[in-house]
Amino acid sequence: MIRKTMTVLALAAGLGAVALAPAAFAQSAAAKAAVDAGKASGTVGEQADGFLGVVSGGDAATRAAVAEINAGRAAVYKDTAAKSGVTAEAAGQATAKQLYARLAPGQYWKPLDGGWTKK
Amino acid sequence: MMKRALILPLLAVGALAACTPTVRVKVDPINIYAKLDANVRVQLDKEVQSAIQQNPNLF
């Protein structure tokens, strides 16, 4: 069983090395699922800076997923900023504005100048 | 008159010196987006929209 897992992992690692996408992308779907579950349960929220935050509690897996998605987002903001000639921070805030619109009522939001609030 | 010109800067320096031990750990985030030029903002919003659509695994 363990050997099988190791083989699968080795294969996945090999594939990841071949793929042009960063290694983090291989995990992204799982991280996204964990983050979405966290958002639905009120553990994870969206922040006005364009990044995810842990509202309260949150197990290690949730925190890791949040960190992973945030790393991916940071790269996107940098890219978007370069395209529009603004800072990555501005790109993050602009994205947050659109993400707030997509946030379901009851989910958590953190404005730039305050604490977690329920939408 | 000359005395006042001397005393005021000294007071200012004294006031500043009194504050030196204070370390501000948390700087309030500033809404940079709101300060952007309107045209830049429109362009940025378009870029952001496509970035969100292109990265369903992140947003």
Side-chain angles (χ1 to χ4, degrees):
Chain A
M1 191 60 200
I2 287 174
R3 191 170 292 177
K4 206 179 233 177
T5 313
M6 292 304 274
T7 312
V8 170
L9 279 176
L11 273 172
L15 281 173
V18 171
L20 283 172
F25 268 62
Q27 295 284 324
S28 264
K32 179 71 165 68
V35 160
D36 284 345
K39 277 164 97 171
S41 68
T43 315
V44 177
E46 289 283 356
Q47 302 173 161
D49 61 1
F51 291 99
L52 291 163
V54 177
V55 180
S56 64
D59 54 10
T62 304
R63 287 173 180 275
V66 165
E68 191 180 315
I69 298 291
N70 279 346
R73 284 187 180 190
V76 171
Y77 296 157
K78 223 173 139 183
D79 189 51
T80 308
K83 280 181 185 161
S84 337
V86 297
T87 61
E89 206 176 337
Q93 290 176 359
T95 308
K97 212 167 144 263
Q98 294 190 27
L99 291 178
Y100 179 78
R102 294 166 29 140
L103 201 66
Q107 294 191 347
Y108 280 94
W109 167 259
K110 192 167 186 259
L112 285 175
D113 54 357
W116 290 106
T117 52
K118 260 191 182 184
K119 186 183 177 182
Chain B
M1 199 66 198
M2 277 297 282
K3 234 180 201 168
R4 188 186 281 184
L6 252 172
I7 287 167
L8 272 178
L10 276 175
L11 275 175
V13 168
L16 276 176
C19 292
T20 25
T22 312
V23 178
R24 256 194 102 189
V25 178
K26 201 172 182 303
V27 179
D28 286 339
I30 301 160
N31 194 332
I32 295 175
Y33 174 78
K35 291 189 159 89
L36 292 174
D37 184 84
N39 298 335
V40 175
R41 218 183 304 162
V42 168
Q43 168 67 23
L44 176 58
D45 284 345
K46 275 188 201 148
E47 294 286 359
V48 163
Q49 199 174 2
S50 71
I52 289 176
Q53 281 163 0
Q54 279 165 22
N55 294 282
N57 51 347
L58 294 175
F59 300 105

